[in-house]
Amino acid sequence: MSFNLTELLFIATTYLTFLFGTAYITEKGWIPTRIIYHPVTYILSLGVFTSVWTFYGTFAQAKTSGYSFLASYLGGSAAFFLAPVILVPILRITRTYQLSSLADLFAFRFRSATAGTLTALFSLIAILPLISIQIHAVTESLHILNQDFSSEQVAIGFCTLIALFSILFGARNPSLRYNRTGLIVAMATGSLIKLIAIGSIALFALYGVMEGPDGLEQWLQQHPEETEVFNTPLDSDMWRTMLLGFFSAIIVMPHTFHMMFTENTSSNSLHKASWGVPLYLLLLALAVPPILWAGIKLGVGDQPAFLILNMGVALDSNFLTILAFIGGLAAASGIIIVATISITSMLQNHIILPLIPPVATHELYSRLLWLRRTLIIVMMLFSYLFYSKIGLNFNLQWLGTLTFIAFMQFLPGILATLFWPGANRAGFCLGLIAGMGTWIITMLLGLLNGTDIETAQFIQQDWHQIAIYALAANITIFLLASVITKSSKEEVASASACLHNSLQRPVGPQLDISNSDELVELLSKRLGKATAQREIDNALKELSLLNKELDAIDLMRLNTLIESRLSALFGPVGASLLLNQNAEDNTLNYYRTQDIHLLEGQLENYQTRLSGLAAELDNLRRHHRMTLQRLPIGACSLDEKGQIIFWNEEMEHFTGLRTPSVLTKKLASISAPWGELLAEFSAQKQNHLLSHHMLINEENCWISLHKASLADDTNAMVILLENETENQILVNRLSHNERLASIGRFAAGVAHEIGNPVTGIACLAQNLKYETDDPIILESGDQIVAQTDRITRIVQSLIRFAHTGQSDIQRYEESVNLKEVTDEAIHLVSMDSRGRQIQLINNIKAIVTVGGDPQRLLQVFVNLINNACDASPENSIVWLDALEHSSSIEVTVTDEGSGIVKEHQDKLFEPFFTTKDPGKGTGLGLPLVYNIIEEHYGSIRIVSPSNKNQNNGTQVVITLPKSLQE
């Protein structure tokens, strides 16, 4: 049976176009998202692992080695069974730091461009045999179905077609981290077609050729020689090596790494794949024996590699033949397309761009795309050359084994990345060179040089020993070099970030920038203004930040995201170089202070994932942090560079500075008055500053500061701030009371010393009425008695003021005419020179009366009128008014002075507070007025300015009951 070449090319082109069509309609949103992101879709996309080696070569291995064909299925399944331990942590690292390939991962982990370059170069060399067998399988399939053209011509056409579709799939966006859901759906479709093809052929082989399970059993009994190979014990060394090789390959091969980590969007998908992919591989493995035995029965077992294709030819079944051809094409095209995309990304980021840095231009993205397209074409050219020069001389099984041995050399690096922080770049690079060098010298070069048949047979028979020797050399040198050489600080940082179950922590360079515009300027030097602005704008949008002055944490978040996005374009090393152009070196030399706060934020969301000792330590951390946050005193902590790394709630409350605004700043850079105060205190030798007086918002405050060093010879320290304001006010009140007590004792002495002479004067004045009838003398005597009574009451008022609460108002209560009291007060004030310069107007009616002590009320009005005169300009007016209410009288004293500022109004009634010039006021007048009014069960308030239009004047409003009994 023969097919027309045009028909075969049409079938191949139609299939590849169909694949691209599924990708296209997926990215256009024509396929429901529930299908795109369904775990089954992702599981099927990982079927790209099953190349033609599995689709074709596994039959040859089963025929010659029996159950050893299961190694590829079991090795791959083992990797997915360990997904929570290996695959999920790798996914976390690649997603967090935007790593697109194995070379990116190792370059990031070991902070080494050399590590990335070696990985990219060795991956290219190792993948060539695998791509070669894909080309060989498709070419031979076409040649079996049509012999009109040579295999070489068919291979060229197939490579050209695959190069075109690889460009369509992988070179439409410059970033390899671009969300290509279309590629996932296309590869899932290809894997489903492979499963349907091999499953359908297996069912036909079982029921159509072997006539069902009973017929198969009967045939096997009649041909026991066909089962002898399955009963032969496996070579344990070879079996273990094969399992290890396939286990390693499914993790590190470019196409599987790309689908598992670069194209994956959720760790949940990997958890589902931990059982889904083994199930998929099991279904493929179950199909192998019945197809193999059916092919042998049909007489096409002499060419086992293409047995599945020859079955259709032998049965003269166009359907089975085309189904087998499409299945093989699906297996070959999927791996070539994805592997080519991944390998070209490695070559671009780790070989081409480091040698030829990108030129700053607005066409940067376009140039990157054309570079990748060119690399895809070059990659396919190399693959074709390998196929034509070497691949044609060896079978699929052997070339596939050669590839898996090579990729096994990357396994130590993967395990060290996840579990050994002591590994360093020297150990990794030397170990990889040793392992791959052994593989190249003993296996690959022998093939390139046309090794004689005996040597070739030895290599093919004892390949497992060579593989183990190469891996042992790799591991040994890796361990020794890592132990002997010292890891750099940037390697330690990256190792910590990559450890299994570690938290995300930025490991890029620290940038001395204050806003996003400065970052644009930094990147413009290499990327061009337009490209840099686009990247920064996209990052700001993703972080929901505004393009303005950003705090240190936001800038650090922006820097981390930009480094991740640039890693997807240029690789982690290239991204680090772009961001660290102005630094003295291009490596990270310390953790940034801000990392602490990102780690704190992550730990808050990480609690449910911790267990055992880690959970207990996290609970202890939370307890200690909460203790510091809720301390009733302010606490801030400085790191070794003097930057603030902790600022608790009490510090926020007292200083008014929120934590995000001060973190990572130096003390001197925070706003006044705290920056200067705390910076000076941190620099002085004394560890304590007690009862320091400050004016905060025009209010008196007293604070005490304490500090303790956290490390010698650094600026690391903790500073405590105590708010002593309430204590100091209490101390001032006690001191004030003590002064009042002294005044009381002084007043008592004055009363005693003045009382006797005053009493004598009063007695002599009273005796005048017995000694004369002269009315003038008698009137003078009455005035003398009245004034002596006034002296007595003034002294007693002073005593009562000094001993608050000891007043004896009731004995002096009487009906007081406010008109008479205020007239007398005006008369007394007018006797002063200052009072004579002010026009005093009393508008109080003569019938207004209140209950109280006239002498004490007289003191009130004398004080208030005096204050009004002092505050008023010359020739201005002070007037008194009274408004009568049902049970009270409201008296106002109004002046035309400049008024009283709002900040002073609440302090006017405090003892010793005065706004007058020094020596002109004692600060006792208004407190005395306040006490007298309170003793009369009244109230007093200040209205200033009283004239809202002219914004001047002060009005004192006094409210007094009509009678004290009321």
Side-chain angles (χ1 to χ4, degrees):
M1 181 177 62
S2 178
F3 288 85
N4 185 285
L5 185 62
T6 304
E7 295 175 346
L8 294 175
L9 290 177
F10 174 76
I11 293 171
T13 305
T14 301
Y15 169 74
L16 292 174
T17 304
F18 171 72
L19 273 192
F20 180 74
T22 59
Y24 180 80
I25 64 176
T26 299
E27 293 178 0
K28 286 295 183 180
W30 297 350
I31 296 180
T33 55
R34 61 185 176 84
I35 295 178
I36 297 173
Y37 295 104
H38 197 282
V40 173
T41 304
Y42 176 67
I43 290 170
L44 287 173
S45 72
L46 296 178
V48 71
F49 169 70
T50 55
S51 64
V52 295
W53 194 95
T54 305
F55 197 84
Y56 288 151
T58 189
F59 296 101
Q61 189 168 12
K63 187 174 187 299
T64 58
S65 304
Y67 287 116
S68 65
F69 83 91
L70 292 173
S72 62
Y73 303 100
L74 294 178
S77 298
F80 281 96
F81 288 146
L82 295 176
V85 179
I86 296 179
L87 302 184
V88 172
I90 295 176
L91 176 64
R92 174 188 58 80
I93 297 170
T94 56
R95 287 178 60 192
T96 300
Y97 302 103
Q98 296 286 297
L99 309 178
S100 305
S101 63
L102 186 67
D104 286 354
L105 177 63
F106 287 144
F108 172 80
R109 162 58 181 87
F110 299 104
R111 305 305 285 179
S112 168
T114 303
T117 301
L118 289 176
T119 303
L121 183 61
F122 287 144
S123 294
L124 172 63
I125 297 172
I127 202 67
L128 288 177
L130 189 61
I131 295 181
S132 171
I133 67 175
Q134 316 305 313
I135 300 172
H136 180 58
V138 174
T139 302
E140 286 300 310
S141 298
L142 289 169
H143 192 66
I144 289 172
L145 300 179
N146 184 286
Q147 291 81 30
D148 294 342
F149 293 87
S150 66
S151 297
E152 183 175 342
Q153 291 174 317
V154 174
I156 292 174
F158 175 69
C159 290
T160 303
L161 191 63
I162 287 295
L164 173 62
F165 278 93
S166 296
I167 291 173
L168 291 176
F169 275 105
R172 289 182 294 135
N173 189 281
S175 172
L176 207 62
R177 295 297 305 192
Y178 173 72
N179 186 17
R180 282 188 295 271
T181 53
L183 182 62
I184 294 178
V185 174
M187 293 303 107
T189 303
S191 297
L192 183 61
I193 290 174
K194 283 186 288 186
L195 182 61
I196 292 174
I198 200 169
S200 299
I201 295 172
L203 290 174
F204 180 83
L206 179 61
Y207 291 99
V209 178
M210 307 305 296
E211 299 178 353
D214 293 337
L216 175 61
E217 184 178 0
Q218 184 180 357
W219 185 84
L220 290 175
Q221 291 175 356
Q222 294 173 356
H223 301 81
E225 70 279 2
E226 301 302 336
T227 60
E228 286 182 3
V229 69
F230 290 94
N231 297 325
T232 302
L234 296 172
D235 185 326
S236 58
D237 291 341
M238 182 179 295
W239 175 252
R240 284 192 292 268
T241 305
M242 290 177 66
L243 286 176
L244 183 60
F246 286 109
F247 171 84
S248 307
I250 203 167
I251 300 174
V252 302
M253 283 195 303
H255 52 290
T256 53
F257 188 97
H258 186 86
M259 295 308 299
M260 279 194 293
F261 307 122
T262 306
E263 298 293 343
N264 190 9
T265 58
S266 170
S267 60
N268 184 54
S269 298
L270 265 183
H271 285 290
K272 297 287 177 56
S274 65
W275 59 264
V277 172
L279 177 61
Y280 178 83
L281 296 177
L282 173 64
L283 294 176
L284 293 178
L286 291 175
V288 173
I291 294 176
L292 173 63
W293 290 324
I296 293 174
K297 182 179 179 179
L298 294 173
V300 294
D302 294 338
Q303 196 179 7
F306 297 97
L307 181 146
I308 193 172
L309 189 65
N310 287 324
M311 275 182 59
V313 176
L315 292 169
D316 198 25
S317 172
N318 290 341
F319 175 76
L320 286 179
T321 304
I322 295 301
L323 189 62
F325 173 70
I326 292 177
L329 181 62
S333 59
I335 185 175
I336 294 177
I337 289 172
V338 180
T340 301
I341 292 171
S342 182
I343 288 292
T344 53
S345 170
M346 294 191 208
L347 296 177
Q348 172 186 289
N349 293 339
H350 299 279
I351 295 180
I352 304 300
L353 290 182
L355 294 176
I356 309 174
V359 179
T361 172
H362 66 280
E363 298 180 347
L364 176 65
Y365 291 148
S366 176
R367 293 187 178 185
L368 289 177
L369 284 176
W370 279 108
L371 173 60
R372 186 168 296 160
R373 292 163 184 165
T374 303
L375 288 174
I376 288 175
I377 295 173
V378 172
M379 173 77 182
M380 290 309 303
L381 177 61
F382 282 170
S383 300
Y384 169 76
L385 292 175
F386 189 95
Y387 156 75
S388 61
K389 301 299 181 183
I390 301 174
L392 286 173
N393 302 323
F394 298 92
N395 60 44
L396 303 182
Q397 176 187 352
W398 168 240
L399 289 177
T401 302
L402 192 69
T403 292
F404 298 130
I405 294 172
F407 280 110
M408 191 165 60
Q409 303 306 317
F410 293 109
L411 183 60
I414 287 289
L415 298 179
T417 295
L418 297 178
F419 304 108
W420 186 29
N424 60 29
R425 67 181 68 142
F428 171 77
C429 293
L430 292 176
L432 185 60
I433 291 172
M436 292 298 294
T438 303
W439 173 79
I440 291 172
I441 293 171
T442 58
M443 303 183 77
L444 188 61
L445 287 182
L447 304 181
L448 293 172
N449 296 330
T451 304
D452 60 83
I453 297 176
E454 292 184 1
T455 304
Q457 288 179 347
F458 169 77
I459 293 174
Q460 294 188 31
Q461 290 176 358
D462 298 318
W463 62 266
H464 60 283
Q465 295 182 6
I466 298 174
I468 294 301
Y469 293 152
L471 184 62
N474 184 345
I475 294 174
T476 301
I477 295 178
F478 191 174
L479 292 173
L480 290 176
S482 294
V483 171
I484 293 173
T485 60
K486 184 179 180 181
S487 299
S488 63
K489 292 182 179 179
E490 65 271 16
E491 285 182 274
V492 174
S494 292
S496 177
C498 291
L499 279 181
H500 177 60
N501 270 345
S502 67
L503 298 172
Q504 174 187 357
R505 95 184 289 161
V507 294
Q510 181 176 4
L511 301 180
D512 184 18
I513 59 175
S514 60
N515 56 60
S516 59
D517 292 335
E518 294 181 17
L519 190 54
V520 172
E521 291 298 324
L522 177 65
L523 296 179
S524 297
K525 300 175 184 177
R526 298 283 184 90
L527 303 183
K529 183 73 173 181
T531 304
Q533 188 66 59
R534 186 186 313 171
E535 289 293 331
I536 298 302
D537 289 344
N538 291 338
L540 289 170
K541 183 178 180 180
E542 184 173 336
L543 294 173
S544 299
L545 299 175
L546 299 177
N547 187 11
K548 60 179 183 179
E549 295 291 328
L550 304 174
D551 61 39
I553 300 300
D554 287 336
L555 282 170
M556 191 276 304
R557 291 172 59 210
L558 177 62
N559 178 39
T560 302
L561 180 59
I562 288 297
E563 184 176 4
S564 297
R565 295 173 71 94
L566 292 177
S567 292
L569 288 170
F570 306 106
V573 176
S576 180
L577 292 174
L578 285 172
L579 287 170
N580 205 24
Q581 300 171 44
N582 298 330
E584 295 181 359
D585 55 52
N586 291 318
T587 60
L588 173 75
N589 43 28
Y590 49 81
Y591 281 141
R592 289 171 287 180
T593 301
Q594 303 97 307
D595 295 357
I596 297 173
H597 312 295
L598 278 191
L599 292 175
E600 285 282 353
Q602 290 184 68
L603 281 170
E604 294 302 317
N605 300 321
Y606 201 73
Q607 185 180 20
T608 57
R609 297 167 58 188
L610 299 176
S611 60
L613 180 59
E616 293 296 328
L617 291 174
D618 184 58
N619 289 334
L620 183 61
R621 177 196 66 82
R622 292 170 184 271
H623 176 74
H624 286 165
R625 184 169 184 82
M626 188 58 65
T627 299
L628 292 172
Q629 281 287 4
R630 299 296 173 82
L631 278 177
I633 61 176
C636 77
S637 181
L638 310 181
D639 66 4
E640 65 276 1
K641 294 174 289 181
Q643 294 177 325
I644 300 171
I645 58 175
F646 181 76
W647 190 267
N648 74 347
E649 294 177 358
E650 184 62 23
M651 288 292 282
E652 283 190 351
H653 173 72
F654 191 70
T655 64
L657 301 175
R658 292 181 54 78
T659 300
S661 66
V662 298
L663 288 180
T664 74
K665 291 184 177 181
K666 301 276 189 177
L667 288 175
S669 65
I670 64 178
S671 58
W674 302 105
E676 181 180 358
L677 173 66
L678 294 176
E680 289 181 358
F681 175 67
S682 65
Q684 69 182 27
K685 294 182 178 180
Q686 291 79 8
N687 291 332
H688 306 281
L689 177 64
L690 303 178
S691 300
H692 176 73
H693 177 257
M694 300 179 65
L695 275 178
I696 302 177
N697 297 326
E698 300 298 328
E699 293 186 2
N700 291 308
C701 292
W702 289 265
I703 62 170
S704 291
L705 296 174
H706 316 274
K707 68 178 179 180
S709 176
L710 300 179
D712 296 335
D713 301 325
T714 70
N715 292 323
M717 68 176 66
V718 60
I719 298 177
L720 301 180
L721 182 150
E722 286 185 274
N723 184 1
E724 299 280 0
T725 301
E726 292 184 0
N727 292 338
Q728 192 63 38
I729 290 175
L730 180 59
V731 169
N732 290 343
R733 286 179 180 174
L734 292 175
S735 176
H736 172 61
N737 290 339
E738 181 62 30
R739 288 198 299 271
L740 291 181
S742 299
I743 293 173
R745 290 190 294 271
F746 171 74
V750 169
H752 176 72
E753 295 298 328
I754 295 178
N756 290 335
V758 169
T759 302
I761 295 171
C763 292
L764 292 173
Q766 290 173 359
N767 289 335
L768 288 176
K769 62 183 178 181
Y770 300 111
E771 297 178 1
T772 181
D773 293 328
D774 189 340
I776 296 177
I777 295 175
L778 292 176
E779 183 181 357
S780 299
D782 291 338
Q783 291 179 350
I784 292 171
V785 171
Q787 294 303 318
T788 55
D789 288 341
R790 183 183 173 195
I791 292 172
T792 301
R793 292 192 181 187
I794 289 173
V795 173
Q796 290 174 346
S797 295
L798 183 60
I799 295 173
R800 279 195 295 272
F801 173 73
H803 300 82
T804 304
Q806 298 180 5
S807 60
D808 190 14
I809 302 296
Q810 296 299 328
R811 73 179 61 176
Y812 303 110
E813 182 189 356
E814 60 184 79
S815 180
V816 179
N817 188 299
L818 282 181
K819 175 70 172 176
E820 295 178 356
V821 171
T822 52
D823 280 343
E824 184 178 358
I826 290 174
H827 174 69
L828 291 173
V829 171
S830 299
M831 297 173 65
D832 183 78
S833 58
R834 178 62 179 163
R836 288 195 294 268
Q837 298 173 356
I838 305 298
Q839 184 179 357
L840 303 173
I841 300 175
N842 188 355
N843 294 326
I844 300 176
K845 297 179 181 180
I847 60 173
V848 178
T849 60
V850 295
D853 183 348
Q855 290 298 322
R856 304 208 70 195
L857 291 176
L858 179 61
Q859 286 180 270
V860 168
F861 290 111
V862 168
N863 272 291
L864 293 179
I865 295 171
N866 262 322
N867 286 341
C869 292
D870 290 339
S872 299
E874 293 184 4
N875 301 319
S876 61
I877 301 174
V878 173
W879 58 93
L880 289 76
D881 292 283
L883 181 62
E884 187 172 0
H885 299 286
S886 59
S887 61
S888 63
I889 303 296
E890 184 179 278
V891 183
T892 59
V893 180
T894 308
D895 63 52
E896 295 179 330
S898 59
I900 303 172
V901 296
K902 186 176 181 180
E903 291 78 5
H904 293 165
Q905 291 181 21
D906 294 335
K907 305 174 185 179
L908 292 176
F909 300 111
E910 293 181 5
F912 307 109
F913 177 84
T914 180
T915 58
K916 297 179 181 180
D917 295 334
K920 294 185 178 180
T922 62
L924 286 174
L926 285 178
L928 179 62
V929 168
Y930 183 84
N931 283 348
I932 293 173
I933 296 300
E934 277 200 331
E935 290 172 355
H936 283 75
Y937 304 104
S939 64
I940 182 171
R941 60 188 175 91
I942 306 294
V943 177
S944 183
S946 58
N947 189 331
K948 304 298 182 181
N949 294 329
Q950 297 183 9
N951 196 34
N952 67 354
T954 299
Q955 185 179 73
V956 180
V957 181
I958 299 173
T959 302
L960 292 169
K962 291 183 176 180
S963 173
L964 294 183
Q965 282 74 18
E966 298 179 7

